[in-house]
């Protein structure tokens, strides 16, 4: 059939069809060697309609090409679900940032307090030492008086791992955990955190801290790409990458940088809150109701990420920069950042018990890591614990 007839059947313009031919997405069945007219086969109509539908939901052409190339309807359906879960996660992050900016500008107009993002709700947790430390940061005056943080970190190699690919850091301005994967995972996780250290010294204040977070996220993404670039066969990226969950302290508030399935939690007034959302396949299935929290712990795709910091070809994880947001703080808050080596094997009740009962961050990280090791600890385990205190 002619390109005009085909365009009417699949609801794509002739201009779009010519463009998709040039991209190798939807080549015609026949091109007349004399006049260059394109002709399409009837069996191509269904594929063309799929392309049109995917364009309507905003899927990029390179992603559409991957979906069409799968061939199998089940695999294509799974790829579309994964894409939409990523869209929803990114939209939620932009929604939170938009709400913050609106509150921030309203507060400036009224010369009142700035509205900050609050915990999203109480969520249950599921469940050889590289570094450990506990210190206190000198505080600066903030809206709740003079505040400071005490912090500690600990990281151990998993029982079935040849080397520890996690990286954890706690310092006067930065708390961070990164969980590397792939052949260059250890380098990726270390690069992500190292990239944040100088950025974390940026300006204080709500608007200033947001800018610092954006710079930190972009620098971490670039650092990981550089760390893993050209390490695969034939000099191609080998799919290595890392998750990243970090908090930047400016003396009055905490800024959160997050991508992947490492987590940040808050213990406040006896309640344990998870303040990050996993960028993973199983989390997207939990969100759409097709999987329960209990089922997720044993799902065969529980380690498959929708978003991570990668150098390219990230095993299903989309190349992306982390989400950023601000977190309200109160004296007495205790924060936990951890890799999934802890959350996958230590349950929420045990985590809450340790965090509530520990006399300081150092004790908390030692006891949490010990619980993970006692549970078999197959994966690398890293955690950072920080207390917000009045000075």
């Amino acid at each position: 059939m002619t390109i005009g007839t085909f365009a009417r059947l699949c609801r794509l313009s002739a201009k779009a069809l010519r463009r998709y031919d040039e991209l190798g997405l939807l080549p015609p069945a026949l091109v007349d060697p004399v006049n260059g007219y394109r002709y399409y086969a009837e069996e191509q109509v269904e594929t063309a309609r799929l392309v049109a539908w995917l364009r309507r939901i905003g899927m990029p052409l390179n992603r559409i090409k991957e979906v069409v190339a799968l061939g199998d309807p089940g695999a294509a359906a799974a790829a579309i679900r994964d894409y939409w879960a990523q869209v929803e996660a990114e939209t939620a992050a932009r929604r939170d940032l938009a709400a913050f900016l609106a509150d921030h500008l309203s507060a400036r107009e009224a010369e009142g307090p700035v509205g900050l993002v609050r915990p999203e709700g109480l969520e249950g947790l599921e469940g050889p030492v590289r570094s450990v430390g506990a210190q206190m940061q000198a505080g600066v005056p903030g809206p709740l008086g003079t505040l400071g943080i005490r912090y500690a970190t600990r990281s151990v190699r998993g029982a079935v791992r040849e080397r520890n690919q996690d990286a954890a850091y706690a310092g006067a301005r930065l708390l961070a955990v990164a969980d590397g994967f792939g052949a260059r995972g250890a380098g990726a996780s270390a690069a992500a955190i190292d990239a944040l250290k100088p950025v974390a010294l940026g300006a204080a204040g709500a608007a200033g801290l947001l800018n610092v977070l954006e710079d930190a996220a972009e620098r971490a993404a670039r650092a990981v790409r550089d760390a893993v670039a050209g390490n695969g066969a034939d000099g191609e990226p080998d799919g290595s990458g890392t998750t990243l969950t970090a908090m930047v302290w400016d003396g009055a508030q905490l800024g959160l940088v997050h991508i992947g399935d490492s987590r940040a939690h808050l213990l406040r007034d006896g309640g344990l809150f998870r303040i990050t959302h996993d960028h993973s396949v199983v989390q997207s299935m939990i969100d759409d109701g097709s999987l329960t929290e209990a089922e997720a712990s044993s799902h065969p795709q529980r380690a498959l990420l929708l978003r991570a910091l990668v150098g390219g070809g990230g095993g299903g994880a989309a190349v992306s920069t982390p989400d950023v947001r601000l977190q309200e703080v109160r004296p007495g808050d205790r924060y936990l950042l951890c890799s999934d080596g802890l959350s996958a094997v230590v349950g929420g009740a045990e985590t809450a018990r340790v965090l509530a009962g520990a006399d300081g961050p150092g004790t908390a990280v030692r006891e949490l890591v010990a619980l993970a090791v006692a549970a078999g600890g197959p994966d690398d385990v890293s955690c950072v614990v920080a207390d917000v205190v009045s000075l």
Side-chain angles (χ1 to χ4, degrees), residues 197-276:
K197 293 176 183 177
V199 184
L201 300 177
L209 184 54
L210 273 176
N211 292 333
V212 168
L213 296 178
E214 289 286 352
D215 290 344
E218 292 174 5
R219 183 174 292 195
R222 289 195 302 269
V224 172
R225 287 195 293 270
D226 292 344
V228 305
N231 288 295
D234 303 320
E236 293 296 320
D238 62 5
S240 297
T242 186
T243 69
L244 177 65
T245 300
M247 302 191 87
V248 176
W249 171 248
D250 75 347
Q253 60 194 336
L254 284 164
L256 177 66
V257 177
H258 171 68
I259 190 168
D261 64 352
S262 297
R263 294 177 175 178
H265 315 279
L266 166 63
L267 183 75
R268 175 180 286 173
D269 299 330
L272 188 61
F273 300 84
R274 189 171 67 171
I275 57 174
T276 54

Side-chain angles (χ1 to χ4, degrees), residues 252-309:
Q253 60 194 336
L254 284 164
L256 177 66
V257 177
H258 171 68
I259 190 168
D261 64 352
S262 297
R263 294 177 175 178
H265 315 279
L266 166 63
L267 183 75
R268 175 180 286 173
D269 299 330
L272 188 61
F273 300 84
R274 189 171 67 171
I275 57 174
T276 54
H277 196 74
D278 292 350
H279 301 130
S280 66
V281 169
V282 295
Q283 184 63 59
S284 70
M285 296 172 72
I286 292 170
D287 293 343
D288 68 20
S290 60
L291 199 68
T292 66
E293 291 276 2
E295 292 168 337
S297 62
S298 58
H299 194 278
Q301 291 184 309
R302 62 187 178 277
L304 187 58
L305 298 175
L306 292 175
R307 295 173 61 195
L309 300 178

Side-chain angles (χ1 to χ4, degrees), residues 24-113:
L25 172 60
L26 200 60
L30 175 67
V31 178
D32 190 301
V34 177
N35 55 33
Y37 289 168
R38 295 171 170 86
Y39 295 91
Y40 293 82
E42 186 175 349
E43 55 266 26
Q44 290 182 281
V45 171
E46 206 57 41
T47 299
R49 285 174 175 167
L50 175 61
V51 171
W53 292 330
L54 294 177
R55 286 299 289 156
R56 286 179 192 139
I57 67 172
M59 184 178 285
L61 289 174
N62 62 340
R63 194 79 171 261
I64 293 176
K65 191 173 182 179
E66 294 174 2
V67 172
V68 170
L70 291 172
D72 176 62
I80 293 169
R81 290 192 189 98
D82 291 349
Y83 166 75
W84 196 248
Q86 178 187 344
V87 170
E88 289 182 327
E90 291 174 348
T91 300
R94 290 196 296 269
R95 179 196 63 215
D96 288 345
L97 181 56
F100 164 78
L101 291 172
D103 288 347
H104 174 60
L105 293 172
S106 297
R108 285 182 60 187
E109 182 180 18
E111 297 184 350

Side-chain angles (χ1 to χ4, degrees), residues 133-157:
Q135 299 182 29
M136 183 170 179
Q137 184 223 354
V140 299
L144 299 176
T146 302
L147 301 177
I149 57 170
R150 293 188 176 94
Y151 49 84
T153 182
R154 194 173 181 114
S155 182
V156 303
R157 179 172 57 85

Side-chain angles (χ1 to χ4, degrees), residues 288-357:
D288 68 20
S290 60
L291 199 68
T292 66
E293 291 276 2
E295 292 168 337
S297 62
S298 58
H299 194 278
Q301 291 184 309
R302 62 187 178 277
L304 187 58
L305 298 175
L306 292 175
R307 295 173 61 195
L309 300 178
V310 297
V319 180
S320 186
T321 54
D323 298 333
V324 299
R325 55 180 279 191
L326 298 185
Q327 176 67 36
E328 175 204 35
V329 297
R330 298 180 190 171
D333 284 349
R334 173 165 285 178
Y335 287 89
L336 165 67
L337 280 63
C338 67
S339 62
D340 67 344
L342 177 69
S343 58
V345 297
V346 179
E350 281 292 273
T351 301
R353 179 188 63 80
V354 170
L355 289 174

